[in-house]
Amino acid sequence: MTQAALPQSTVRKSWWRRNQIAITPYLFLAPGVLFFAVYVIIPIFQSFGISLQDWDGLGQPTYVGLENYRELGNDPAFYTSLKNNVWWLLLYLLAIPAGLGIALFLNQTVTGIRIYKSLFFFPFVISQVVVGLVFTWFYDPAFGLLNVMLGWFGAGPINVLGDPRYVTFGIILAGLWPQTAYCMILYLTGLNAVNPEQIEAGRLDNAKGWRMLWHIVLPQLKPATFIAFVVTIIGALRSFDLISIMTQGGPFGSSRVLSFYMFEVALSEYGFRMGYGAAIAVVLFLIMLCFIAYFLFSMYREERR
Amino acid sequence: MLKTLKASVAVAGLVAGGHAFAAEHESLSGDLVIFSDMSNPAPRAVMEGLVAEFGEMHPDLNIELTVIDREAYKTQIRNFLTANAPDVANWYAGNRMAPYVDAGLFMDVSDIWEGEMSENLASTKSAMTMDDKQWGVPYTYYQWGVYYRADLYDEYGLEEPQDWETLKSNCQTLLDNGIKCFTIGTKFLWTAGGWFDYLNMRTNGYDYHMQLTAGEIPWTDDGVRQTFANWRELIDMGAFVDNHTAYSWQEALPFMVNGDAAAYLMGNFAVAPLREAGLSDDQLDYYQFPAINPDVELAEDAPTDTFHVPAQASNPEAGKAFLKYVTSPEVQTWINASDALGQLPVNSQASVGDDKFLQQGFEVLSSNAPGGVAQFFDRDAPAEMAKVAMEGFQQFMVQPDQLDNILQRLEQAAGRIYDK
């Protein structure tokens, strides 16, 4: 009897009532999607658009086609930046084994271990600006600690941040300090999740040292390694603040990376070339896209498993 | 102490200059929004003093002052001029204002330059003029030159050089005694621009220098090469402090304070920190950069700081009145006094502060710079060209053998930048 009445009442139910369940997820997604579109997706296409123009950011833009990209191809400063980006990507990855090493070292129960862990994590907590300043003073050729220490061994002062040969490596080293701490904390949490039974089983089978690490511990740390890899790659490509603080891209542009060069030509004190800056941004975006696509692909594969 | 001093100066200014303005602009009302880059302590006090006094003169006017960090201001100006324009804004003279003038963001203020003002401000008028119109007013400028340790020069029996040979022989004497001739910090590039300005103006003259920065002479020209050849003589002697690429201009000061270097080619703003670091006026002195090529007239760098009325100002009348007020002789005298900005007044009716460096600088600029007065490399050349070129200067100071590459690169950049 009641069943007969039901269809009628559903007809009277509002459209909202009927579709509530189906719509709700989209409603919850809407604010995020909206902001993501406005602040990320649309600007990407705008950048493509601006990169085809000659524009000083103030007057009228003129369309120049692929001229900016053609010029990039003949710009030695662009190749210097690109080369430095490659160095950053390669050397920054050292943070992963270094972080793992420290994590393994700290993963023990000794009195006060928490203090040691916090001390090792400290560089990641302080601002990149402070890290940059500390290392700038450390490298200072007149009073820097590095050259004082080199002096003990009779080695002459090295002008790390003022010499085009060393400057990029000097900055990468400064960047590795907090990045290593970050990877360490990722591995420390990962180590907490390592299954003690498997370790025990490995011990019974007489696995020790490297073999234990390689075959039993590391496979269980795979998720942590993946995240460490992702944040390190992204960190290397975003390396802007340290360069800005420590050298401003100098001496004579030899420590620039793409992100800094883009800032310099488009937005800095002397920069009025929005189109050219946008072209550099597009190149940087394409490089990042390779990594992002790879990360998304591996996550997708992981989830399907 | 400082406060009372400022107040008394302000009152004096009010009594002296107040009448004329009060009578002329009694009707000013509404809001006057000022964005300023005078963020260092002394300039900030001056700016606040200006606002206070101008406010007293125009009680109906509601003045809002926003002081922005001097470095940050350089990148923010293009945003606020287009989006949220104040009625008065600080900036710099010369080519540095060209992008904003070309984009129609500064208001033409030629009307306030009419008559007396053009005479009194003749020395800086050309730096404020583009397309035969004036786009703002100057409020202060300062001399560049060689600041040196007089006690070290005395110790080794050296005189202020009048020519290039003496400068080099002085330098050799100092080097033989283990003292560098010049300190410099090229991390932020512009300090090397100062050296290029002087060497080029002394080698090829003011007009040549102006044509070069205006893109009318190629960077691969023989004159430019001669300038770099002169520069190279100093570099090969080892005249400059080592590792200068790692220092800012402030970080290069200790070499001079400690006596490791004897002189500094710098603007007058270097005097204050040198005094604070403990150098007395007996130890510190100034000389004009000596002649190199006797056939060219001496010319100087004297960067001028300015006030402008943005084109989108909502109260341009009040803005213009403020510009006029700032350039009046009384105000010029007190804001440039040695206990305020400690720089040179732009109005010829104003008096120069009681300070030996200001007096000497004024002397040099008003009677010993027949060639002309330049702004500074990064204000005379377009911004992009300045950046590329100053980077080249820095590289040249470290790798002088790369000169051909550097000049080629500059010429390539010039071809693109001036072509527009």
Side-chain angles (χ1 to χ4, degrees):
Chain A
M1 287 295 269
T2 45
Q3 271 175 350
L6 260 176
Q8 271 190 336
S9 69
T10 35
V11 172
R12 258 188 252 126
K13 267 186 186 169
S14 65
W15 182 86
W16 164 242
R17 279 272 177 110
R18 271 179 288 126
N19 297 293
Q20 209 171 11
I21 304 286
I23 291 174
T24 307
Y26 296 102
L27 277 179
F28 277 114
L29 275 175
V33 169
L34 184 74
F35 281 95
F36 192 68
V38 169
Y39 289 110
V40 180
I41 304 293
I42 297 174
I44 289 174
F45 289 100
Q46 279 180 324
S47 284
F48 277 110
I50 295 173
S51 75
L52 302 179
Q53 293 171 337
D54 180 18
W55 185 38
D56 64 2
L58 298 167
Q60 282 302 312
T62 39
Y63 179 81
V64 291
L66 292 174
E67 179 60 25
N68 284 325
Y69 293 94
R70 197 195 57 76
E71 199 190 319
L72 265 187
N74 296 325
D75 184 353
F78 171 70
Y79 288 109
T80 310
S81 315
L82 200 61
K83 189 190 80 195
N84 284 338
N85 257 119
V86 172
W87 276 121
W88 270 89
L89 280 172
L90 289 177
L91 294 180
Y92 224 47
L93 290 175
L94 289 176
I96 298 176
L100 176 65
I102 298 175
L104 289 170
F105 173 65
L106 288 178
N107 191 40
Q108 41 188 316
T109 41
V110 190
T111 342
I113 191 71
R114 283 179 187 213
I115 293 178
Y116 304 133
K117 282 182 186 170
S118 332
L119 285 178
F120 273 96
F121 188 56
F122 180 68
F124 185 69
V125 179
I126 57 179
S127 153
Q128 292 262 308
V129 176
V130 177
V131 173
L133 278 178
V134 167
F135 269 83
T136 308
W137 293 330
F138 176 68
Y139 290 138
D140 189 290
F143 59 81
L145 207 53
L146 174 72
N147 287 308
V148 172
M149 291 195 292
L150 283 175
W152 294 338
F153 304 102
I158 300 180
N159 180 13
V160 177
L161 294 183
D163 190 311
R165 285 169 298 174
Y166 311 131
V167 62
T168 297
F169 305 109
I171 304 174
I172 294 175
L173 190 67
L176 278 175
W177 190 43
Q179 192 63 28
T180 302
Y182 193 13
C183 292
M184 176 205 81
I185 212 80
L186 290 172
Y187 277 119
L188 272 177
T189 44
L191 282 170
N192 277 337
V194 166
N195 188 345
E197 283 174 17
Q198 287 192 21
I199 306 273
E200 202 58 31
R203 282 231 174 91
L204 288 177
D205 288 341
N206 210 13
K208 298 184 210 162
W210 287 112
R211 289 169 66 95
M212 173 76 97
L213 179 67
W214 189 253
H215 293 289
I216 296 176
V217 179
L218 273 188
Q220 296 190 61
L221 287 176
K222 207 176 160 216
T225 308
F226 179 70
I227 296 293
F229 188 64
V230 172
V231 295
T232 306
I233 292 288
I234 292 174
L237 288 169
R238 298 196 328 179
S239 51
F240 174 87
D241 21 18
L242 283 176
I243 294 166
S244 173
I245 293 294
M246 295 174 75
T247 62
Q248 300 250 320
F252 36 92
S254 38
S255 65
R256 285 189 194 114
V257 294
L258 289 178
S259 57
F260 190 82
Y261 191 40
M262 169 190 76
F263 166 79
E264 213 171 61
V265 298
L267 302 165
S268 72
E269 186 182 344
Y270 301 110
F272 283 94
R273 305 185 67 200
M274 297 298 161
Y276 198 56
I280 301 169
V282 168
V283 172
L284 184 61
F285 173 72
L286 293 178
I287 296 172
M288 285 189 167
L289 202 61
C290 300
F291 289 100
I292 294 169
Y294 167 73
F295 292 148
L296 288 179
F297 175 68
S298 24
M299 278 201 272
Y300 172 72
R301 211 177 40 189
E302 201 71 10
E303 271 181 22
R304 276 193 35 173
R305 218 179 261 166
Chain B
M1 159 72 193
L2 196 77
K3 260 216 168 98
T4 47
L5 201 73
K6 201 175 71 196
S8 64
V9 171
V11 168
L14 194 67
V15 170
H19 294 306
F21 289 105
E24 215 175 315
H25 297 288
E26 249 168 7
S27 57
L28 287 181
S29 61
D31 291 332
L32 173 64
V33 181
I34 302 177
F35 283 4
S36 173
D37 68 344
M38 296 160 76
S39 60
N40 292 328
R44 190 183 185 116
V46 165
M47 190 66 225
E48 284 165 356
L50 284 173
V51 166
E53 194 187 275
F54 194 66
E56 276 173 45
M57 286 160 51
H58 303 283
D60 294 339
L61 199 60
N62 174 32
I63 307 180
E64 274 176 50
L65 170 67
T66 307
V67 179
I68 300 165
D69 172 72
R70 197 171 169 90
E71 293 303 315
Y73 191 93
K74 291 172 182 169
T75 50
Q76 284 181 19
I77 182 168
R78 59 182 101 170
N79 295 341
F80 67 66
L81 283 183
T82 47
N84 178 25
D87 301 308
V88 173
N90 277 122
W91 194 235
Y92 309 103
N95 221 321
R96 213 49 200 283
M97 66 178 187
Y100 306 104
V101 172
D102 291 340
L105 292 170
F106 282 154
M107 190 176 280
D108 171 12
V109 294
S110 306
D111 50 337
I112 61 172
W113 278 83
E114 277 166 16
E116 201 187 24
M117 185 149 147
S118 280
E119 284 169 34
N120 292 345
L121 272 63
S123 63
T124 45
K125 188 175 179 183
S126 66
M128 302 306 302
T129 305
M130 287 182 70
D131 307 330
D132 292 327
K133 293 175 193 137
Q134 286 77 46
W135 302 93
V137 297
Y139 68 91
T140 188
Y141 69 137
Y142 49 88
Q143 80 272 18
W144 268 63
V146 182
Y147 293 84
Y148 72 102
R149 284 285 298 268
D151 52 342
L152 292 178
Y153 271 52
D154 285 344
E155 190 179 336
Y156 300 110
L158 306 175
E159 301 265 309
E160 291 187 2
Q162 301 293 324
D163 56 53
W164 186 235
E165 292 310 318
T166 322
L167 185 139
K168 282 186 292 182
S169 66
N170 279 354
C171 184
Q172 196 54 56
T173 313
L174 288 165
L175 287 171
D176 293 342
N177 289 288
I179 296 171
K180 291 287 186 182
C181 318
F182 295 101
T183 183
I184 186 172
T186 58
K187 185 175 180 180
F188 295 99
L189 307 176
W190 55 267
T191 46
W195 269 96
F196 179 79
D197 273 353
Y198 273 97
L199 288 165
N200 197 36
M201 286 195 291
R202 293 290 184 269
T203 309
N204 299 308
Y206 175 83
D207 293 333
Y208 182 95
H209 186 66
M210 284 297 132
Q211 284 171 318
L212 179 69
T213 50
E216 290 157 18
I217 288 177
W219 281 89
T220 42
D221 190 71
D222 283 342
V224 180
R225 285 183 189 279
Q226 185 54 46
T227 300
F228 280 103
N230 290 336
W231 200 345
R232 178 147 195 181
E233 287 185 65
L234 291 180
I235 294 169
D236 286 347
M237 285 168 80
F240 300 99
V241 291
D242 298 329
N243 302 326
H244 53 77
T245 50
Y247 308 120
S248 67
W249 76 266
Q250 293 101 328
E251 286 165 340
L253 290 169
F255 295 106
M256 192 162 156
V257 176
N258 299 335
D260 296 329
Y264 204 171
L265 177 67
M266 211 6 93
N268 195 53
F269 52 81
V271 170
L274 284 171
R275 278 180 178 152
E276 273 165 34
L279 293 183
S280 70
D281 277 12
D282 295 332
Q283 290 174 295
L284 193 61
D285 208 347
Y286 165 90
Y287 64 79
Q288 186 178 12
F289 198 95
I292 295 177
N293 176 354
D295 300 331
V296 301
E297 290 180 315
L298 297 181
E300 292 296 313
D301 263 347
T304 308
D305 292 352
T306 57
F307 278 111
H308 302 265
V309 179
Q312 296 173 18
S314 44
N315 195 353
E317 283 315 305
K320 283 183 185 177
F322 185 79
L323 261 50
K324 207 158 179 174
Y325 156 76
V326 168
T327 47
S328 66
E330 298 80 16
V331 173
Q332 277 299 306
T333 303
W334 81 256
I335 66 172
N336 286 298
S338 45
D339 56 359
L341 289 177
Q343 296 184 356
L344 299 172
V346 291
N347 192 316
S348 59
Q349 304 295 313
S351 46
V352 180
D354 181 23
D355 172 276
K356 75 167 179 178
F357 296 103
L358 289 183
Q359 299 283 356
Q360 287 188 66
F362 185 73
E363 182 67 27
V364 163
L365 288 175
S366 53
S367 56
N368 209 12
V373 173
Q375 285 299 313
F376 190 74
F377 190 78
D378 69 355
R379 303 187 189 186
D380 291 322
E384 290 172 59
M385 191 66 226
K387 170 79 185 168
V388 181
M390 293 191 306
E391 221 167 78
F393 303 157
Q394 189 197 32
Q395 184 176 5
F396 175 73
M397 289 186 74
V398 182
Q399 304 171 338
D401 291 335
Q402 293 290 318
L403 182 63
D404 285 327
N405 283 336
I406 295 168
L407 291 181
Q408 219 124 53
R409 201 170 69 218
L410 295 194
E411 186 49 31
Q412 198 189 341
R416 176 176 58 72
I417 292 163
Y418 295 109
D419 200 30
K420 287 175 187 170

